[in-house]
Coordinates of all heavy atoms in Angstrom, one line a residue:
M1 N 13.0 -15.0 -2.9 CA 11.9 -14.2 -3.4 C 10.6 -15.0 -3.2 O 10.5 -16.2 -3.5 CB 12.1 -13.8 -4.9 CG 11.0 -13.1 -5.4 SD 11.5 -12.3 -6.9 CE 10.3 -11.1 -7.1
V2 N 9.6 -14.3 -2.8 CA 8.3 -14.9 -2.5 C 7.3 -14.4 -3.5 O 7.2 -13.1 -3.7 CB 7.8 -14.6 -1.1 CG1 6.5 -15.3 -0.8 CG2 8.8 -15.2 -0.1
D3 N 6.5 -15.2 -4.2 CA 5.5 -14.8 -5.2 C 4.2 -14.4 -4.6 O 3.3 -13.9 -5.4 CB 5.4 -15.9 -6.2 CG 6.6 -16.2 -7.0 OD1 7.5 -15.3 -7.1 OD2 6.8 -17.4 -7.4
T4 N 4.0 -14.7 -3.4 CA 2.6 -14.4 -2.8 C 2.8 -13.3 -1.7 O 3.8 -13.0 -1.2 CB 2.1 -15.7 -2.0 OG1 3.0 -16.1 -1.0 CG2 1.9 -16.8 -3.0
A5 N 1.6 -12.7 -1.5 CA 1.6 -11.6 -0.4 C 1.5 -12.3 0.9 O 1.1 -13.5 1.1 CB 0.3 -10.8 -0.7
P6 N 1.8 -11.6 2.0 CA 1.7 -12.1 3.4 C 0.2 -12.5 3.6 O -0.7 -11.9 3.1 CB 2.1 -10.9 4.3 CG 2.9 -10.0 3.4 CD 2.4 -10.2 2.0
A7 N 0.1 -13.6 4.4 CA -1.3 -14.1 4.7 C -2.1 -13.1 5.7 O -3.3 -13.2 5.7 CB -1.2 -15.4 5.4
F8 N -1.3 -12.3 6.4 CA -2.0 -11.4 7.4 C -1.6 -9.9 7.1 O -0.6 -9.7 6.4 CB -1.6 -11.7 8.8 CG -1.8 -13.2 9.1 CD1 -0.8 -14.0 9.3 CD2 -3.1 -13.6 9.3 CE1 -1.0 -15.4 9.7 CE2 -3.4 -15.0 9.6 CZ -2.3 -15.8 9.8
A9 N -2.4 -9.0 7.6 CA -2.1 -7.6 7.4 C -1.8 -6.9 8.8 O -2.4 -7.4 9.8 CB -3.2 -6.9 6.7
V10 N -1.0 -5.9 8.8 CA -0.7 -5.2 10.1 C -2.1 -4.7 10.6 O -2.9 -4.1 9.9 CB 0.3 -4.0 9.8 CG1 0.4 -3.2 11.1 CG2 1.6 -4.6 9.4
G11 N -2.3 -4.8 11.9 CA -3.5 -4.4 12.6 C -4.6 -5.5 12.6 O -5.6 -5.4 13.3
E12 N -4.4 -6.6 11.8 CA -5.4 -7.6 11.8 C -5.4 -8.4 13.1 O -4.3 -8.7 13.7 CB -5.1 -8.6 10.6 CG -6.1 -9.6 10.4 CD -5.9 -10.4 9.1 OE1 -4.9 -10.0 8.3 OE2 -6.5 -11.4 8.9
R13 N -6.5 -8.8 13.7 CA -6.6 -9.5 14.9 C -6.8 -11.0 14.6 O -7.6 -11.4 13.7 CB -7.7 -9.0 15.8 CG -7.4 -7.6 16.2 CD -8.3 -7.0 17.2 NE -8.4 -7.7 18.5 CZ -7.5 -7.7 19.4 NH1 -6.4 -7.0 19.3 NH2 -7.7 -8.4 20.6
K14 N -6.0 -11.9 15.2 CA -6.0 -13.3 14.9 C -6.2 -14.1 16.2 O -5.6 -13.8 17.2 CB -4.7 -13.7 14.2 CG -4.5 -13.1 12.9 CD -5.6 -13.1 11.9 CE -5.8 -14.5 11.3 NZ -6.9 -14.5 10.4
D15 N -6.9 -15.2 16.1 CA -7.1 -16.1 17.2 C -5.8 -17.0 17.2 O -5.4 -17.5 16.1 CB -8.3 -17.0 16.9 CG -8.5 -18.1 18.0 OD1 -7.7 -18.1 19.0 OD2 -9.4 -18.9 17.9
K16 N -5.1 -17.0 18.3 CA -3.8 -17.8 18.4 C -4.1 -19.2 18.8 O -3.5 -19.7 19.7 CB -2.9 -17.1 19.3 CG -2.4 -15.8 18.8 CD -1.4 -15.2 19.7 CE -0.8 -13.9 19.2 NZ 0.3 -13.5 20.1
N17 N -5.0 -19.9 18.1 CA -5.3 -21.3 18.4 C -5.0 -22.1 17.2 O -5.9 -22.3 16.3 CB -6.7 -21.5 18.9 CG -6.9 -22.9 19.4 OD1 -6.0 -23.6 19.6 ND2 -8.2 -23.3 19.6
M18 N -3.8 -22.4 17.0 CA -3.4 -23.1 15.7 C -2.8 -24.5 16.0 O -1.6 -24.6 16.1 CB -2.3 -22.2 15.0 CG -2.8 -20.8 14.7 SD -1.6 -19.8 13.9 CE -0.4 -19.6 15.2
P19 N -3.6 -25.5 16.2 CA -3.1 -26.8 16.5 C -2.4 -27.4 15.2 O -3.1 -27.5 14.2 CB -4.3 -27.6 16.9 CG -5.5 -26.9 16.3 CD -5.1 -25.4 16.2
V20 N -1.1 -27.5 15.3 CA -0.4 -28.1 14.1 C 0.5 -29.2 14.6 O 1.0 -29.1 15.8 CB 0.5 -27.0 13.4 CG1 -0.4 -26.0 12.8 CG2 1.4 -26.4 14.4
P21 N 0.7 -30.2 13.8 CA 1.7 -31.3 14.2 C 3.1 -30.8 14.2 O 3.5 -29.9 13.4 CB 1.4 -32.4 13.2 CG 1.0 -31.6 12.0 CD 0.2 -30.5 12.5
G22 N 3.9 -31.2 15.1 CA 5.3 -30.8 15.1 C 5.6 -29.5 15.8 O 4.8 -29.0 16.6
H23 N 6.7 -28.9 15.5 CA 7.2 -27.7 16.1 C 6.4 -26.5 15.6 O 6.0 -26.4 14.5 CB 8.7 -27.5 15.7 CG 9.2 -26.2 16.3 ND1 9.5 -26.1 17.6 CD2 9.6 -25.1 15.7 CE1 10.0 -24.9 17.8 NE2 10.1 -24.2 16.6
T24 N 6.1 -25.6 16.6 CA 5.5 -24.3 16.2 C 6.2 -23.2 16.9 O 6.8 -23.4 18.0 CB 4.0 -24.3 16.6 OG1 3.5 -23.0 16.3 CG2 3.8 -24.6 18.1
R25 N 6.2 -22.0 16.4 CA 6.8 -20.9 17.0 C 5.9 -20.1 18.0 O 6.2 -19.1 18.6 CB 7.3 -19.9 16.0 CG 8.4 -20.5 15.2 CD 8.9 -19.4 14.2 NE 10.1 -20.0 13.5 CZ 11.3 -19.9 13.9 NH1 11.6 -19.3 15.0 NH2 12.3 -20.5 13.2
L26 N 4.7 -20.7 18.2 CA 3.7 -20.1 19.1 C 3.9 -20.7 20.5 O 3.8 -21.9 20.7 CB 2.3 -20.4 18.7 CG 1.2 -19.8 19.5 CD1 1.2 -18.3 19.7 CD2 -0.2 -20.3 19.0
W27 N 4.2 -19.8 21.5 CA 4.4 -20.3 22.9 C 3.1 -20.9 23.4 O 2.0 -20.5 23.1 CB 4.8 -19.1 23.8 CG 6.1 -18.4 23.3 CD1 7.3 -19.0 23.1 CD2 6.3 -17.0 23.1 NE1 8.2 -18.1 22.7 CE2 7.6 -16.9 22.7 CE3 5.4 -15.9 23.2 CZ2 8.1 -15.6 22.4 CZ3 6.0 -14.7 22.8 CH2 7.3 -14.6 22.5
G28 N 3.3 -21.9 24.3 CA 2.1 -22.6 24.8 C 1.2 -21.7 25.6 O 0.0 -21.8 25.5
Y29 N 1.7 -20.7 26.3 CA 0.8 -19.8 27.1 C 0.0 -18.9 26.2 O -0.9 -18.3 26.7 CB 1.6 -19.1 28.2 CG 2.6 -18.1 27.7 CD1 2.3 -16.8 27.2 CD2 4.0 -18.4 27.6 CE1 3.2 -15.9 26.7 CE2 4.9 -17.5 27.2 CZ 4.5 -16.3 26.7 OH 5.5 -15.4 26.3
A30 N 0.4 -18.7 25.0 CA -0.4 -17.8 24.1 C -1.5 -18.6 23.3 O -2.4 -17.9 22.7 CB 0.6 -17.2 23.1
Q31 N -1.5 -19.9 23.4 CA -2.5 -20.7 22.7 C -3.9 -20.3 23.2 O -4.1 -20.1 24.4 CB -2.3 -22.2 22.9 CG -1.2 -22.8 22.2 CD -1.5 -23.1 20.7 OE1 -2.6 -23.0 20.2 NE2 -0.5 -23.5 20.0
G32 N -4.9 -20.1 22.3 CA -6.2 -19.8 22.6 C -6.5 -18.3 22.9 O -7.6 -18.0 23.3
H33 N -5.6 -17.5 22.7 CA -5.8 -16.0 23.0 C -5.8 -15.3 21.6 O -5.4 -15.7 20.6 CB -4.6 -15.5 23.9 CG -4.6 -16.1 25.2 ND1 -5.5 -15.6 26.2 CD2 -3.9 -17.0 25.8 CE1 -5.2 -16.3 27.3 NE2 -4.3 -17.2 27.0
I34 N -6.4 -14.1 21.7 CA -6.5 -13.2 20.5 C -5.3 -12.3 20.5 O -4.9 -11.7 21.5 CB -7.8 -12.4 20.5 CG1 -9.0 -13.3 20.6 CG2 -7.8 -11.4 19.3 CD1 -9.4 -13.9 19.4
G35 N -4.7 -12.1 19.4 CA -3.5 -11.2 19.2 C -3.7 -10.4 18.0 O -4.5 -10.7 17.1
G36 N -2.9 -9.3 17.9 CA -2.9 -8.5 16.7 C -1.5 -8.4 16.0 O -0.5 -8.5 16.7
V37 N -1.6 -8.4 14.7 CA -0.3 -8.3 13.9 C 0.2 -6.9 14.0 O -0.4 -5.9 13.7 CB -0.6 -8.7 12.4 CG1 0.7 -8.6 11.6 CG2 -1.1 -10.1 12.3
Q38 N 1.5 -6.8 14.5 CA 2.1 -5.5 14.7 C 3.1 -5.2 13.6 O 3.3 -4.0 13.3 CB 2.8 -5.4 16.1 CG 1.8 -5.5 17.2 CD 2.5 -5.4 18.5 OE1 3.7 -5.6 18.6 NE2 1.7 -5.2 19.6
I39 N 3.8 -6.2 13.1 CA 4.8 -6.0 12.0 C 4.9 -7.2 11.2 O 4.7 -8.3 11.7 CB 6.1 -5.6 12.7 CG1 7.1 -5.1 11.6 CG2 6.7 -6.7 13.5 CD1 8.4 -4.5 12.1
I40 N 5.2 -7.1 9.9 CA 5.4 -8.2 9.0 C 6.9 -8.1 8.6 O 7.3 -7.2 8.0 CB 4.5 -8.2 7.8 CG1 3.0 -8.3 8.3 CG2 4.8 -9.3 6.9 CD1 2.0 -8.2 7.2
Q41 N 7.6 -9.1 9.0 CA 9.0 -9.2 8.7 C 9.2 -9.6 7.2 O 8.3 -10.3 6.7 CB 9.8 -10.2 9.6 CG 9.6 -9.9 11.0 CD 10.4 -8.7 11.5 OE1 11.3 -8.2 10.8 NE2 10.1 -8.1 12.6
P42 N 10.3 -9.3 6.6 CA 10.6 -9.8 5.2 C 10.6 -11.3 5.2 O 10.9 -12.0 6.1 CB 11.9 -9.2 4.9 CG 12.2 -8.1 5.8 CD 11.4 -8.4 7.1
A43 N 10.2 -11.9 4.0 CA 10.2 -13.3 3.9 C 11.6 -13.9 4.0 O 12.6 -13.3 3.6 CB 9.7 -13.7 2.5
A44 N 11.7 -15.0 4.7 CA 13.0 -15.7 4.9 C 12.7 -17.2 5.0 O 11.6 -17.7 5.2 CB 13.6 -15.2 6.2
V45 N 13.8 -18.0 4.8 CA 13.7 -19.4 4.9 C 13.7 -19.8 6.4 O 14.6 -19.4 7.1 CB 14.8 -20.2 4.2 CG1 14.8 -21.6 4.4 CG2 14.8 -19.8 2.7
L46 N 12.7 -20.4 6.9 CA 12.6 -20.8 8.3 C 13.5 -22.0 8.6 O 13.6 -22.9 7.8 CB 11.2 -21.1 8.7 CG 10.2 -19.9 8.5 CD1 8.8 -20.3 8.9 CD2 10.7 -18.7 9.3
P47 N 14.1 -22.1 9.8 CA 15.0 -23.2 10.1 C 14.3 -24.6 10.1 O 14.9 -25.6 9.8 CB 15.4 -22.9 11.6 CG 15.2 -21.5 11.8 CD 14.1 -21.1 10.9
E48 N 12.9 -24.6 10.3 CA 12.2 -25.9 10.3 C 12.3 -26.5 8.9 O 12.3 -27.7 8.7 CB 10.7 -25.6 10.6 CG 10.5 -25.3 12.1 CD 10.7 -23.8 12.4 OE1 11.1 -23.0 11.5 OE2 10.4 -23.4 13.5
T49 N 12.3 -25.7 7.8 CA 12.4 -26.2 6.5 C 13.6 -27.0 6.3 O 13.6 -28.1 5.8 CB 12.4 -25.0 5.4 OG1 11.2 -24.3 5.7 CG2 12.3 -25.5 4.0
G50 N 14.8 -26.5 6.7 CA 16.0 -27.2 6.6 C 16.1 -28.5 7.5 O 16.6 -29.5 7.1
A51 N 15.5 -28.3 8.7 CA 15.5 -29.5 9.6 C 14.7 -30.6 9.1 O 15.0 -31.8 9.5 CB 15.0 -29.0 11.0
Q52 N 13.7 -30.4 8.3 CA 12.8 -31.4 7.8 C 13.3 -31.8 6.4 O 12.6 -32.6 5.7 CB 11.4 -31.0 7.7 CG 10.8 -30.7 9.1 CD 9.5 -30.1 9.1 OE1 8.9 -29.9 8.1 NE2 9.0 -29.7 10.3
Y53 N 14.4 -31.3 5.9 CA 15.0 -31.6 4.6 C 14.0 -31.3 3.5 O 13.9 -32.1 2.5 CB 15.5 -33.1 4.5 CG 16.5 -33.4 5.6 CD1 16.1 -34.1 6.7 CD2 17.8 -32.9 5.5 CE1 17.1 -34.4 7.7 CE2 18.7 -33.2 6.5 CZ 18.4 -33.9 7.6 OH 19.3 -34.2 8.5
L54 N 13.3 -30.2 3.6 CA 12.4 -29.7 2.6 C 13.1 -28.7 1.7 O 14.1 -28.1 2.1 CB 11.1 -29.1 3.2 CG 10.3 -30.1 4.1 CD1 9.2 -29.3 4.8 CD2 9.8 -31.2 3.3
S55 N 12.6 -28.4 0.5 CA 13.2 -27.4 -0.3 C 13.0 -26.1 0.4 O 12.1 -25.9 1.2 CB 12.6 -27.4 -1.7 OG 11.2 -27.1 -1.6
D56 N 13.8 -25.1 -0.1 CA 13.6 -23.7 0.5 C 12.2 -23.3 0.3 O 11.6 -23.4 -0.8 CB 14.6 -22.7 -0.2 CG 16.0 -23.0 0.2 OD1 16.2 -23.8 1.2 OD2 16.9 -22.4 -0.4
N57 N 11.6 -22.7 1.3 CA 10.2 -22.3 1.3 C 10.1 -21.0 2.1 O 9.6 -21.0 3.2 CB 9.3 -23.4 1.8 CG 7.8 -22.9 1.8 OD1 7.5 -22.1 1.0 ND2 7.0 -23.6 2.6
P58 N 10.6 -19.9 1.5 CA 10.6 -18.6 2.3 C 9.2 -18.2 2.7 O 8.2 -18.4 1.9 CB 11.2 -17.6 1.3 CG 11.7 -18.3 0.1 CD 11.1 -19.7 0.2
Q59 N 9.0 -17.7 3.9 CA 7.7 -17.3 4.4 C 7.9 -16.0 5.2 O 8.9 -15.7 5.7 CB 7.2 -18.4 5.4 CG 6.9 -19.7 4.8 CD 6.4 -20.7 5.8 OE1 5.8 -20.4 6.8 NE2 6.6 -22.0 5.5
Y60 N 6.8 -15.3 5.2 CA 6.7 -14.0 5.9 C 6.5 -14.4 7.4 O 5.9 -15.4 7.7 CB 5.6 -13.1 5.5 CG 5.7 -12.6 4.1 CD1 5.1 -13.2 3.0 CD2 6.5 -11.5 3.8 CE1 5.2 -12.7 1.7 CE2 6.7 -11.0 2.5 CZ 6.0 -11.6 1.5 OH 6.2 -11.2 0.2
V61 N 7.1 -13.6 8.3 CA 6.9 -13.8 9.7 C 6.2 -12.6 10.3 O 6.6 -11.5 10.1 CB 8.3 -14.0 10.4 CG1 8.1 -14.1 11.9 CG2 9.0 -15.2 9.9
C62 N 5.1 -12.9 10.9 CA 4.2 -11.8 11.5 C 4.5 -11.8 13.0 O 4.4 -12.8 13.6 CB 2.8 -12.1 11.2 SG 2.4 -12.1 9.5
S63 N 4.8 -10.6 13.5 CA 5.0 -10.5 15.0 C 3.7 -9.9 15.6 O 3.2 -8.9 15.0 CB 6.2 -9.6 15.2 OG 7.3 -10.1 14.7
A64 N 3.3 -10.5 16.7 CA 2.1 -10.0 17.4 C 2.5 -9.5 18.8 O 3.4 -9.9 19.4 CB 1.1 -11.0 17.4

């Protein structure tokens, strides 16, 4: 269960330039482009959380 609302809304346009250390789910060819949120998936624990031995941290996944 997640206590917060999704960070983005369906139809919202976002700049896909998110420099972050480590693994990201953003493909390299999409970096620096504008995209729109088409669907928000239910919150789930991402595999990266387990791989980094962090506590469960369910997050919403936005598809663009």
Side-chain angles (χ1 to χ4, degrees):
M1 176 161 198
V2 179
D3 296 332
T4 60
F8 306 110
V10 173
E12 188 173 351
R13 298 191 52 79
K14 299 308 285 178
D15 179 3
K16 293 185 177 186
N17 188 14
M18 302 178 294
V20 294
H23 177 73
T24 177
R25 293 183 175 272
L26 179 60
W27 300 306
Y29 64 81
Q31 287 279 356
H33 295 279
I34 303 282
V37 177
Q38 295 179 347
I39 188 170
I40 299 176
Q41 303 289 344
V45 176
L46 301 179
E48 291 85 354
T49 303
Q52 296 172 4
Y53 302 104
L54 302 172
S55 62
D56 290 348
N57 181 21
Q59 298 179 24
Y60 294 99
V61 176
C62 300
S63 299

